[in-house]
Amino acid sequence: MIPGVRRTLVALTAVLLAAVPLAGSVPAAQAATATISGTITAADTGQPVPLACLVAYPNDGSFPQNACSDSLGRYQLTQLSAGVQYQLHVWATGPFLGQWARGATDQRSATSYAAPATVDFALARGVQVSGTVRDTEGSPVAGASVGFQPAVNSSVVDGADTTTTANGTYTVYLAPGDYGLTFWSPTGRSWYAHGKYDLASADPIHVAAGTPLTLDDTEPAPTLITGHVTDAATGRPLPGICTGTTEPAHPDWFWGQVCTDASGAYSLPATAGTWLVLASDPNGTYAAGPGSTVTITNGRTLAGIDLTMTKGGTVTGTVVDRVTGTALSDICPTAYDATTGGYLPGQRTTCSDAGGAWSVGALPGRAVTVKLAGDQTHVARWASDADTQKSATPLTVTPGGTTDAGTVRLYHGGTLTGRITDPAGKPVADAWVLYGANYASRAGGPEWPYAAQTAADGTYTMTNVPAGNLPVEVFTGSAFAAYWSGGESDPAKADPVRIGYDRTTRFDAELKREAKLQVTVSGVPAGEYVVVDAYTHSGAPVGISSDVFAPGPGTISGLPESKIKLKVTADVPTPNGLTTTQHTFWYPNATSAAGAKPIEVHEGRATNVTVTVPAF
């Protein structure tokens, strides 16, 4: 699926039907079951529709159930939980359109039914849309996927997906309305109607009631970057070298995609844009070179992008425990450019063996720094014996040669322990304690190695923490406010907590009651999805972010008594109406946090604010 293209409910339903046993075959494990049944007929003739399949979505979070109609159009969902509310969607092959019960346009607005119940459906016939997909030489493209997605602001319930036949033809049935049309060929290329490469610029497809529509399309020419890879010293072609593209500003994101043939030639699929073309040697003999920055247009082949490679150098060393001198195994090195600090793509690492010996190869001939990753009882350290990259020893790499980094001695980290309580002195369970980082709820919790969660008695222990003098944050996500060491509401004002190698530091905290911010949204259609996030004055994320379906309200909880800034992200339809563009602003209508109006929130209280989404 191409990014930005909505999956149709038809596709989702098909997946569910493949994954869920038919109703009646589910083991009767629950104590009380009930049935929803009915008849599915054609709206225009009243005749039964066989093999129309219905999915019942429960509102209690349990797994959906499904069943299909018999030759008389009858269906039964027999293993439903009695008393649970279900939303029903039916779809059928051929000319009939999918439908939510009572004609709702989406699941949120669909009528719910508690079993037992009788629910009948009368399915409307769709408009026939057909066409042929050919390649640039006019030959039919068999096995191409064809997808119709309803426009963003459309009232259409479903899109449709199909695959072209051996002669390149396809047929679907759609409700009247506007759609985006997407093609995926077996060659891996994708495009939009007609000859467009992104949904935002694609031509909308209008389906008129009662008017069959023919939509032919042509698979566009491939977008390729081609060239040769050779040895910089000898000019000899290099087979088996893997090439790929990445953003010029992020060469460390490079992953090889297509490898060279026996003549050193490569042909690399690409998309329009400016890219850095890089090559790496899977065997580790050659270092990834500086690459070549190119600009390419969709449907074109950019030839003659030749790359040269120099034999790589290797850095070796040993790693031991700082106190005992014992060799440490399974400690992995990573090399970085000593000048820019950036990761060196294409490097090949060998983690330390039983004798503590490690190596990192396929490095370019320049000064590098090397970091040893540490393990569960030792913290990471830079060669040779440095806490930070800035203080690490630059190591000069010689092409084809080996540089000895000497011995790196790893420390045992420190321990942070303590107890978290509420204002009454009672323990707070499941609170997150973070050393030197902030809890970002939008990312799904702390993605940080130096974090611990409290037990039922409010205690926690965090081990193998590197030496430092950093703030501590406590975050619960329940009834308490975020807390920074020293009782502050912003990490910029927090008291740092010193951690020493192989030492234990105690940190206790008494939490305060949370403040809440209730956000109502205007300026967008009802049901529109808007995201609101709170930040401290210094720019740290705070509280549990909220997703608001306009007009809301949505609630941001877990806030300390303070003045917070509110960031709002809204999806605004593109001019063609097929997709949306994400726009961000700061309350009330600022382009950056610097222009945001602070909102006062108070302990134990909810503050109400209305956000008006501006026209973009």
Side-chain angles (χ1 to χ4, degrees), residues 30 64 70 82 100 133 150-151 154 167 236 248 251 254 281 284 337-338 352 407 462 504 540 583 599:
Q30 57 267 51
D70 61 18
W100 285 98
V133 180
S154 173
N167 60 4
R236 181 175 63 87
F254 161 74
D281 181 5
D337 188 298
S352 59
T407 300
M462 191 187 310
T504 297
H583 289 280
I599 303 171

Side-chain angles (χ1 to χ4, degrees), residues 20 44 92 102 155 252 267 280 362 380 471 479 522 579:
V20 184
D44 54 354
R102 297 294 180 261
S155 61
D252 52 326
S267 181
S280 69
S522 65
T579 186

Side-chain angles (χ1 to χ4, degrees), residues 589-612:
N589 189 13
T591 57
S592 67
K597 179 183 177 181
I599 303 171
E600 288 191 19
V601 293
H602 300 279
E603 179 184 356
R605 290 167 49 188
T607 299
N608 297 306
V609 66
T610 297
V611 171
T612 301

Side-chain angles (χ1 to χ4, degrees), residues 145-466:
S145 297
V146 183
F148 288 83
Q149 301 85 36
V152 171
N153 290 334
S154 173
S155 61
V156 175
V157 175
D158 294 331
D161 294 285
T162 191
T163 303
T164 57
T165 64
N167 60 4
T169 62
Y170 71 90
T171 300
V172 297
Y173 294 87
L174 298 170
D178 291 324
Y179 297 83
L181 174 53
T182 312
F183 299 91
W184 301 268
S185 78
T187 62
R189 294 201 289 276
S190 60
W191 71 100
Y192 299 82
H194 292 97
K196 302 295 174 55
Y197 288 87
D198 61 85
L199 192 58
S201 62
D203 299 328
I205 302 301
H206 181 71
V207 177
T211 305
L213 185 61
T214 299
L215 292 171
D216 300 327
D217 217 295
T218 301
E219 179 182 17
T223 304
L224 297 173
I225 301 171
T226 64
H228 289 77
V229 182
T230 58
D231 184 303
T234 66
R236 181 175 63 87
L238 297 179
I241 299 296
C242 296
T243 62
T245 57
T246 186
E247 295 179 8
H250 298 286
D252 52 326
W253 293 356
F254 161 74
W255 294 96
Q257 300 174 1
V258 174
C259 299
T260 56
D261 62 17
S263 69
Y266 72 90
S267 181
L268 182 65
T271 56
T274 298
W275 304 103
L276 176 62
V277 185
L278 287 171
S280 69
D281 181 5
N283 296 318
T285 302
Y286 289 86
S292 179
T293 300
V294 302
T295 300
I296 190 169
T297 304
N298 278 320
R300 301 291 181 89
T301 295
L302 188 60
I305 308 304
D306 298 329
L307 305 172
T308 59
M309 301 185 76
T310 302
K311 286 189 175 181
T314 301
V315 175
T316 62
T318 57
V319 57
V320 300
D321 182 279
R322 189 172 191 83
V323 176
T324 66
T326 304
L328 300 176
S329 61
D330 298 322
I331 302 295
C332 300
T334 305
Y336 299 84
D337 188 298
T339 301
T340 66
Y343 173 84
L344 292 170
Q347 61 184 271
R348 297 291 182 265
T349 62
T350 301
C351 301
S352 59
D353 59 19
W358 55 265
S359 66
V360 52
L363 300 177
R366 67 182 69 169
V368 305
T369 53
V370 177
K371 184 179 183 180
L372 281 300
D375 57 20
Q376 292 184 342
T377 60
H378 296 85
V379 295
R381 195 158 178 82
W382 294 82
S384 295
D385 273 353
D387 285 330
T388 65
Q389 185 176 15
K390 185 177 180 180
S391 60
T393 303
L395 304 165
T396 301
V397 175
T398 303
T402 299
T403 301
D404 184 10
T407 300
V408 180
R409 298 168 175 82
L410 299 191
Y411 289 91
H412 289 280
T415 297
L416 184 66
T417 188
R419 187 167 183 261
I420 308 301
T421 58
D422 66 13
K426 295 180 179 179
V428 177
D430 300 323
W432 281 103
V433 182
L434 290 81
Y435 182 69
N438 294 322
Y439 185 101
S441 65
R442 183 62 62 187
E447 297 180 356
W448 182 248
Y450 312 118
Q453 204 165 14
T454 57
D457 62 355
T459 61
Y460 71 92
T461 299
M462 191 187 310
T463 60
N464 206 27
V465 182

Side-chain angles (χ1 to χ4, degrees), residues 8-20 55 57 91:
T8 65
L9 186 56
V10 170
L12 175 61
T13 305
V15 171
L16 287 170
L17 289 175
V20 184
V55 181
Y57 297 91
W91 63 279

